[in-house]
Amino acid sequence: MALDPDDPRPPYVQVANALRAAILTKVFKAGDKLPSRAELAKKYEVAPMTVQNALRELRDEGLIVSRQGSGVFVRERTERPVGLRPHIERAFNAEHVTIDFAGFSGETLHGIMQEPLDKIRIGRLTPESIHVRILVPDPGVPWSVPVTVDERADSPAFRKRAEEIMRRHTLAIVDNVTELGALGLVKDATAEVRVHPTAPLFKLYLVNNEEAFFGFYPVREHVLSLGGEPQAIYDLMGKDAILFHHSITDDDTSTGSQYVDQARTWFDSMWNTISTEYKR
């Protein structure tokens, strides 16, 4: 399985990403021994030193551990917080792709989806259908958070700034997905954005109705320039949200399937009741 020659990332990063995805999706389970460095070098058609550098990345992340004279093993107790990217990228290998997102702006999702959508454009991935639903807060109504620091009050200027970010990322997802359908690259491709009147204190991703990723938004103070004036805001820090992973295939807990089912029920209830179509 050679690396993608069109991928601009260094080979050791590509190998590390492939192995990380295999660990996070439980192809290699906790306690499993990884193939030898020579075997991995042959599999990915790279030099053994490249594999060594890739393994160093995973070791630094706490995903694997080396045992003198025995080899390299997946840690028995890996942390539950996970990276979203390998799971989203892997999801596009399925025949039917569904992604539901509830959160603040969709910025992270937009960035992660670029690579698999590009692979569809060049024919490296060929899903039959893609359906994306995005739930974000309505920027046209006052918010309880984010708010100003001094008065704990809604900031229309901040909402306008936030809407520009939200529009840029969510509508780009809509345009990119629907374009694949218009070009005939995906038979059934839809992406919708709806808004709701509640403050999002967490982000949720549902992937192919099999996996759920959930994380709380930390609220932190920082200063922004709004209308040319500095303004202290208690803001939702999306990039600092740690995601926790639940899967219907979890074999170490009985709650994985229940969590995914309940998350999907919550999302559908929001989508079908208090949310409305976002008007461009």
Side-chain angles (χ1 to χ4, degrees), residues 154-171:
D154 171 64
S155 170
F158 180 89
R159 278 192 282 116
K160 181 179 179 180
R161 175 183 181 275
E163 181 176 17
E164 292 172 353
I165 296 172
M166 184 193 78
R167 284 177 58 87
R168 181 163 64 250
H169 295 291
T170 60
L171 297 185

Side-chain angles (χ1 to χ4, degrees), residues 103-180:
F104 192 56
S105 70
E107 180 177 1
T108 298
L109 180 62
H110 178 210
I112 290 174
M113 287 182 62
Q114 291 309 296
E115 184 168 344
L117 293 182
D118 285 343
K119 287 184 177 180
I120 293 173
R121 291 187 184 96
I122 62 176
R124 297 182 69 88
L125 291 174
T126 56
E128 289 286 314
S129 67
I130 301 174
H131 296 293
V132 181
R133 297 187 298 176
I134 300 171
L135 275 173
V136 287
D138 187 348
V141 301
W143 290 343
S144 57
V145 62
V147 293
T148 62
V149 170
D150 292 338
E151 300 177 350
R152 307 294 200 277
D154 171 64
S155 170
F158 180 89
R159 278 192 282 116
K160 181 179 179 180
R161 175 183 181 275
E163 181 176 17
E164 292 172 353
I165 296 172
M166 184 193 78
R167 284 177 58 87
R168 181 163 64 250
H169 295 291
T170 60
L171 297 185
I173 292 173
V174 171
D175 290 343
N176 289 338
V177 171
T178 54
E179 179 189 46
L180 295 177

Side-chain angles (χ1 to χ4, degrees), residues 239-271:
K239 292 183 179 179
D240 294 337
I242 296 175
L243 294 178
F244 292 84
H245 178 217
H246 303 269
S247 171
I248 63 173
T249 61
D250 283 350
D251 54 10
D252 58 344
T253 175
S254 62
T255 63
S257 181
Q258 295 174 24
Y259 189 96
V260 174
D261 287 343
Q262 288 301 308
R264 185 168 56 246
T265 298
W266 174 87
F267 189 97
D268 287 341
S269 71
M270 290 286 289
W271 187 265

